[in-house]
């Protein structure tokens, strides 16, 4: 067997082993999972997630997911907790302690200290009969039969199971809170995702370079306006209202149909009733309109007042697509 085949077989075996472990987690969901979720939901404090080793890394990811989905959470490293960081735990906080074995020395030291303060302790471990499993008020049973590691040593299936249980908890809490995309946007204001959920047309519209001409403007004036504003279009304005638009495509068609254009003015070649949009609309919605109508620009109008042109290129620059 060549090296490539060996590598691919190894990767497939790992993926299949982990997927099998995840699928079997449904058999270990109990009343405790539901009660733990409700306690976190009704808590007036935060959720403190702690762990040691690889479980600590999983704990940090779970905290990140919970914070972004509406559950205030903090990470507490189990080893650092007994050296002063335990002071971050407040009386109303709920605690999740993650450990595959549930018997590590750090966990055995930490658990009694956590319980001493009267906080609800939720254990996440593969061994329900471990120290952590027995001492926890509620158990999230992250049982796996073995690791994907050929030596059954490196945390693979076990950490994936912990991660999946954390995701299941986060989603259950989202559903209890009726957490919607609008709420999600509050916690993700940056990047493409935040822009997609929050950015409105008025937030990005350039109102200082709004191309516009009068209905009786010469074609030369129209071409100069389109070229100067560099949007490939100009609005035709009459009595402060948009009555049409002229695109560079309209100019090309006019030149193709006429040997001379000295007798023509803007209103002769404009497109009436152009697609328009309000500046309070989300940019993501504007993008859908552009795509559905196979156009590259929209006229922005608020209360019959022309505000400018939204161009597809401007949306692309924001990285929303």
């Amino acid at each position: 067997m060549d090296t490539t085949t060996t590598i691919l077989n190894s990767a497939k075996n790992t993926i299949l082993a982990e997927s099998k472990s995840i699928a079997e987690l449904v058999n270990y969901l109990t009343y405790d999972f539901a009660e733990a979720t409700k306690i976190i939901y009704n808590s007036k404090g935060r959720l403190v997630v702690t762990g040691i080793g690889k479980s600590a890394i999983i704990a940090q990811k779970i905290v990140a997911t919970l914070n972004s989905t509406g559950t205030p959470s903090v990470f507490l490293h189990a080893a650092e907790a007994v050296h002063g960081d335990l002071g971050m735990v407040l009386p109303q906080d709920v605690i999740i302690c993650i450990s595959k074995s549930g018997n590590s020395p750090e966990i055995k030291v930490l658990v009694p200290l956590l319980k001493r303060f009267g906080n609800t302790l939720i254990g996440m471990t593969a061994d329900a009969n471990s120290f952590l499993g027995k001492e926890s008020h509620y158990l999230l049973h992250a049982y796996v039969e073995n690791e994907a590691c050929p030596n059954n040593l490196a945390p693979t299936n076990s950490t994936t199971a912990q991660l999946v249980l954390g995701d299941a908890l986060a989603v259950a809490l989202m559903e209890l809170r009726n957490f919607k995309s609008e709420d999600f946007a509050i916690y993700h204001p940056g990047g493409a995702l935040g822009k997609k959920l929050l950015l409105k047309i008025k937030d990005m519209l350039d109102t200082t370079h709004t191309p516009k001409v009068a209905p009786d403007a010469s074609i030369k004036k129209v071409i100069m306006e389109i070229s100067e504003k560099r949007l490939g279009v100009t609005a035709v304005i009459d009595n402060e209202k948009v009555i049409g638009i002229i695109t560079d495509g309209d100019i090309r068609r006019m030149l193709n149909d006429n040997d001379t254009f000295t007798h023509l003015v803007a209103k002769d070649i404009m497109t009436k009733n152009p697609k328009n949009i309000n500046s309070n609309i989300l940019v993501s919605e504007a993008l859908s309109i552009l795509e559905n109508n196979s156009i590259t620009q929209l006229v922005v109008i608020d209360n019959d007042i022309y505000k400018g042109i939204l161009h597809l290129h401007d949306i692309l620059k924001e990285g929303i697509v």
Side-chain angles (χ1 to χ4, degrees), residues 49-52 55 59 62 96-100 107 124 132 162:
V49 188
T50 185
I52 192 78
S55 295
I62 291 173
I96 292 180
C97 185
I98 306 175
S99 170
K100 178 191 175 183
I107 296 301
M124 183 188 294
L132 176 60
Q162 293 168 356

Side-chain angles (χ1 to χ4, degrees), residues 2 20 115 152 179 182 281 289:
D2 61 63
K20 182 175 181 289
K115 293 181 71 176
N152 196 29
F179 197 85
E182 293 82 4
I281 300 298
I289 294 173

Side-chain angles (χ1 to χ4, degrees), residues 204 283 287 290 310-320:
M204 60 172 288
V283 173
L287 177 60
L290 290 171
L310 178 68
H311 199 285
L312 175 61
H313 291 165
D314 296 323
I315 298 177
L316 295 176
K317 286 178 183 177
E318 292 291 337
I320 291 177

Side-chain angles (χ1 to χ4, degrees), residues 205-244:
L205 186 67
D206 182 1
T207 57
T208 61
H209 297 86
T210 53
K212 57 185 177 180
V213 295
D216 58 355
S218 67
I219 300 302
K220 180 179 179 180
K221 169 64 177 174
V222 171
I223 294 174
M224 290 179 63
E225 185 71 0
I226 292 175
S227 299
E228 181 182 338
K229 301 302 170 59
R230 300 189 178 188
L231 290 173
V233 63
T234 182
V236 181
I237 308 295
D238 188 20
N239 293 323
E240 302 300 322
K241 292 186 179 181
V242 177
I243 62 171

